[in-house]
Amino acid sequence: MFLKPFRVKTQTSVKSSDRKKLRSDILNQYPCLTEQDVATLVPNKEEMSATKICTSGDDNVLVYSVAKNPIFYDIFKRLYPTVYTLWQFPEMLPTFRTWPPVFSKLQKGADLMLPGVIPDKRPSPKMFGNLQKGDLVTVTVAGNKAPVALGKALLSGEDMYMSALRGKGVSVLHIAGDTLWEFGDKSNPPCIPEPVPKSGEDDDGDNKEGNPNEAVGASVVADLENVKLEGDPTESVQGTSDATEVDDQSSLGAALMEGKDEGGSDEEEDEEEQRDPVAEMDERLHFCFACAIKGRVKKSELPVLTGNFLRNYMQPFSADKQLDIKKSTFKKFSKFLQLKVKEGYICMKEQSKGVDVITEIDKSHLGLRDIEVPEVVEAAVAGKGEQTEEETFTPLSFTDVYCINAATQDIFKEEGFSKGDALIVADVRQCVTNYIRNNNLHREDDKKQVTLDPVLAHIILKPAEGDLDHMNWEQVINRVMGKMQQATAIISGSGPPTIKKGKLDPIKLDVAMRASQKKVTVVDNLEDYGIDVKVFSRLVQRSLACSCSVAPSEQKNKGPQVLIQGNQINFVANVLIDKYKIPRRYVTGLDNAPKQKKKR
């Protein structure tokens, strides 16, 4: 969590009332500490601050510091002690002992493997006490009782024994040498000597050789003194160990390294750990931008929407890898483009509120001189024969139909139709006309009038109309259709139509407010029209270069809804009507679109 630099959001002093509450929370979560111990950790008069930080993994953490040394950090109301606190109370948590060479691997982000653990007792189901999965534990180095890391048990004590001490044992949360440790005074762990167990030694045997405790205990101090404080805090910390321990330590250290990456070499593991995904994404963005400016954008195509520039001009040069702005240091594409404006590559202007366009490009910029656009990428850009998932969508056709029900089936049975059949308006008119003619119901004296037989009279007459015996042709047909059940026939390609009885719910477009007064466009009922919400979400995300996600609907028995960052009603409506061929009458909420400012 703290291997990479974090960002400080706010820092405030802790009031006396907050200190009292913090002491109570510490006592509740760590009953092994006494009130006097907690008073030592959280004093009344010393300077104390609470710092809100955001880690590289976008986790919000609250760090409590006394005299500028972090003592606890809070995540979801759970307090975790730092190494500075553990050095004052080294026995407040269960401890796992390991060898000094393993310490440098833990600093790189490795988990503590069970083969690298030095047990205190003979192997038994209770060798680790009553340890449960998820319990907090500390990690020490042989020869020194001072904890060097805080972790979480990945197995219970009994499961560790049943696994024959193989596999992962502890997930390291915080370790001496990481950025949280650097947030304090960067002091070294105290040396609290302890006997160093030997490989194969009985649990009650003591190490009585010379004085190896100080040498092994001091090895961690040497490791921390070699930490490169300028640069990447995740770099390995090179340490030395006592020569008398090399044989035993090397075998256990190798077991830990093997457990972290089975089948891989140490050099490959180090290379992978040194790769920074954020730096890689930044480098990819700069390269794709340069390739797009030099080999793709034509001045005749300007101005270009910034969203289209990312999707149509930069993305093809990413070698089939997604350009994810959120995984870069810029977080937003607009910030990246603003940097390029300052460097002189492009000029931009705001076309409308929230919509930016690139108006000018400088192909003679010195930064483009050494850029060579790969031929294979250019070929891929030139060849657009492959159809995307969005392009293969077959638009649906919607037709209003009328289903024959029990009230009207007597009119249509002579035409071979039965209850439940769906007819278009023309077929309904033809069937009613044939029924009138076959039964000689048309009047000779007035061709616009129809004589009502008992069947028609029962279907179309209202109770107040009583003994009415004739009616206009159009009125008869309209009343018959009014008695039938309305439905919609949805036709996709050459397949049979899907009949949706009742009123077809339209695609609903709405604008909602989220946290920090940010707007989000909500699109409902897409699946009723045969639209894949995931494909639609990707289309919007690539076109607008904005956040777009699929979430369950807030209403029961409704399909998923699409959430789009900002007010994008106009764009979504154009895509649905022009691309997906959805009739405008089936799209509601168009009045929520942002109002266009009048040009003076």
Side-chain angles (χ1 to χ4, degrees):
M1 179 176 291
F2 303 105
L3 293 181
K4 297 180 181 179
F6 54 77
R7 176 170 56 90
V8 176
K9 300 173 69 175
T10 60
Q11 187 170 12
T12 58
S13 59
V14 181
K15 301 178 182 178
S16 58
S17 58
D18 294 332
R19 297 192 189 200
K20 183 177 180 181
K21 183 178 183 304
L22 179 60
R23 294 191 195 100
S24 176
D25 292 341
I26 295 174
L27 285 173
N28 291 334
Q29 297 185 32
Y30 299 95
C32 58
L33 298 177
T34 64
E35 293 185 1
Q36 185 176 357
D37 295 337
V38 176
T40 303
L41 289 172
V42 186
N44 287 323
K45 296 184 179 181
E46 287 194 40
E47 179 186 357
M48 186 173 181
S49 63
T51 307
K52 292 182 179 180
I53 65 174
C54 182
T55 66
S56 60
D58 290 334
D59 294 320
N60 294 318
V61 181
L62 182 62
V63 180
Y64 293 99
S65 303
V66 174
K68 298 184 179 180
N69 271 350
I71 57 170
F72 283 92
Y73 63 93
D74 186 335
I75 301 179
F76 297 116
K77 303 299 181 182
R78 183 173 183 181
L79 295 171
Y80 297 82
T82 66
V83 290
Y84 294 101
T85 297
L86 295 175
W87 291 340
Q88 298 183 56
F89 303 97
E91 298 181 355
M92 66 182 294
L93 292 173
T95 300
F96 282 70
R97 185 194 297 114
T98 188
W99 299 105
V102 176
F103 174 69
S104 61
K105 293 297 178 183
L106 298 180
Q107 282 190 312
K108 297 177 184 179
D111 294 326
L112 179 61
M113 309 300 292
L114 290 176
V117 174
I118 308 173
D120 292 331
K121 302 177 181 179
R122 292 180 180 273
S124 70
K126 295 297 181 182
M127 62 185 300
F128 296 107
N130 295 322
L131 183 70
Q132 299 298 320
K133 181 180 179 181
D135 288 353
L136 292 180
V137 298
T138 61
V139 180
T140 64
V141 175
N144 191 352
K145 288 185 178 181
V148 294
L150 172 73
K152 184 180 293 186
L154 297 177
L155 297 172
S156 65
E158 294 184 3
D159 290 340
M160 291 181 183
Y161 170 76
M162 296 302 295
S163 66
L165 296 182
R166 304 294 298 179
K168 295 182 179 181
V170 177
S171 174
V172 177
L173 304 176
H174 161 52
I175 189 169
D178 63 9
T179 54
L180 184 59
W181 171 81
E182 290 183 350
F183 194 62
D185 59 10
K186 304 176 186 177
S187 58
N188 295 324
C191 187
I192 308 176
E194 69 168 353
V196 182
K198 288 183 174 293
S199 179
E201 185 181 24
D202 293 340
D203 57 321
D204 57 350
D206 295 335
N207 180 16
K208 299 179 181 179
E209 290 185 4
N211 189 16
N213 300 339
E214 295 181 0
V216 178
S219 65
V220 178
V221 177
D223 286 346
L224 292 177
E225 289 176 349
N226 291 330
V227 173
K228 298 179 180 180
L229 299 180
E230 296 182 0
D232 188 357
T234 64
E235 292 182 0
S236 61
V237 181
Q238 303 295 331
T240 58
S241 58
D242 188 33
T244 61
E245 305 289 335
V246 171
D247 293 338
D248 293 336
Q249 295 167 1
S250 60
S251 60
L252 292 173
L256 174 66
M257 292 149 51
E258 177 184 359
K260 185 176 185 299
D261 187 9
E262 296 182 359
S265 64
D266 297 341
E267 295 179 356
E268 293 176 351
E269 177 185 341
D270 293 342
E271 289 178 0
E272 291 180 358
E273 291 172 352
Q274 292 175 0
R275 293 173 186 167
D276 187 354
V278 176
E280 285 185 2
M281 185 58 66
D282 288 350
E283 182 180 354
R284 190 180 306 161
L285 284 171
H286 290 299
F287 175 76
C288 293
F289 175 86
C291 290
I293 292 295
K294 186 174 183 178
R296 182 67 176 155
V297 183
K298 298 179 181 179
K299 292 187 177 181
S300 60
E301 298 174 345
L302 299 174
V304 177
L305 289 171
T306 55
N308 292 341
F309 180 77
L310 173 64
R311 178 173 60 93
N312 298 333
Y313 295 91
M314 289 180 58
Q315 184 64 50
F317 294 96
S318 63
D320 297 330
K321 295 182 179 180
Q322 183 67 26
L323 292 178
D324 194 341
I325 303 297
K326 290 187 176 181
K327 293 183 180 179
S328 68
T329 57
F330 303 99
K331 301 301 180 184
K332 294 183 178 180
F333 190 53
S334 58
K335 292 185 178 180
F336 173 77
L337 291 180
Q338 289 170 5
L339 173 64
K340 295 303 178 181
V341 171
K342 292 181 181 179
E343 294 176 352
Y345 286 95
I346 58 174
C347 292
M348 292 173 50
K349 75 174 184 179
E350 187 177 18
Q351 188 178 48
S352 60
K353 186 176 181 181
V355 179
D356 296 330
V357 294
I358 299 174
T359 56
E360 296 180 17
I361 60 174
D362 184 6
K363 289 181 175 287
S364 62
H365 196 283
L366 294 179
L368 303 177
R369 180 175 299 177
D370 298 330
I371 297 296
E372 295 183 2
V373 181
E375 295 181 0
V376 63
V377 176
E378 289 182 335
V381 173
K384 295 185 178 180
E386 297 183 1
Q387 287 186 320
T388 62
E389 196 171 2
E390 294 88 351
E391 292 172 347
T392 58
F393 173 79
T394 302
L396 304 178
S397 62
F398 302 86
T399 305
D400 292 332
V401 295
Y402 295 86
C403 294
I404 301 173
N405 51 18
T408 59
Q409 62 181 348
D410 292 338
I411 297 178
F412 300 95
K413 63 182 180 181
E414 295 181 0
E415 300 294 328
F417 295 108
S418 58
K419 181 181 176 182
D421 291 344
L423 305 177
I424 61 175
V425 176
D427 291 339
V428 174
R429 295 179 65 91
Q430 186 63 44
C431 289
V432 175
T433 301
N434 292 341
Y435 177 84
I436 294 173
R437 289 177 177 173
N438 293 337
N439 292 276
N440 297 319
L441 299 179
H442 54 281
R443 304 187 65 167
E444 296 294 340
D445 54 343
D446 189 353
K447 295 183 179 181
K448 293 183 179 180
Q449 297 294 319
V450 175
T451 302
L452 302 180
D453 66 350
V455 174
L456 280 178
H458 177 71
I459 294 174
I460 66 176
L461 287 183
K462 299 177 181 178
E465 292 175 336
D467 55 352
L468 186 65
D469 62 349
H470 65 277
M471 190 174 289
N472 186 279
W473 273 82
E474 284 297 324
Q475 196 173 6
V476 170
I477 295 173
N478 290 337
R479 288 203 178 187
V480 169
M481 287 193 295
K483 288 292 184 177
M484 300 175 70
Q485 184 178 16
Q486 292 186 1
T488 303
I490 305 175
I491 304 174
S492 176
S494 59
T498 301
I499 306 299
K500 184 174 180 60
K501 295 182 179 180
K503 186 178 179 181
L504 182 63
D505 292 334
I507 296 176
K508 183 180 178 182
L509 307 182
D510 195 11
V511 177
M513 301 297 292
R514 292 295 187 261
S516 303
Q517 298 298 311
K518 292 183 179 179
K519 294 182 178 179
V520 60
T521 302
V522 184
V523 187
D524 286 303
N525 302 330
L526 285 176
E527 287 192 337
D528 291 346
Y529 295 82
I531 300 176
D532 189 330
V533 290
K534 293 183 179 179
V535 175
F536 182 83
S537 175
R538 288 195 294 269
L539 171 63
V540 174
Q541 186 176 15
R542 293 172 184 173
S543 301
L544 297 177
C546 67
S547 175
C548 185
S549 61
V550 179
S553 177
E554 297 178 355
Q555 301 180 10
K556 292 183 178 180
N557 302 324
K558 290 288 185 179
Q561 57 183 198
V562 177
L563 306 178
I564 310 170
Q565 179 184 3
N567 188 337
Q568 309 294 348
I569 296 292
N570 284 330
F571 175 82
V572 174
N574 291 335
V575 170
L576 293 174
I577 296 172
D578 298 337
K579 179 178 179 59
Y580 288 97
K581 306 301 180 184
I582 304 297
R584 184 178 291 271
R585 68 178 184 275
Y586 291 121
V587 181
T588 62
L590 299 179
D591 54 338
N592 295 322
K595 306 299 181 184
Q596 297 292 338
K597 293 183 179 180
K598 295 182 179 180
K599 296 182 180 180
R600 295 181 179 178

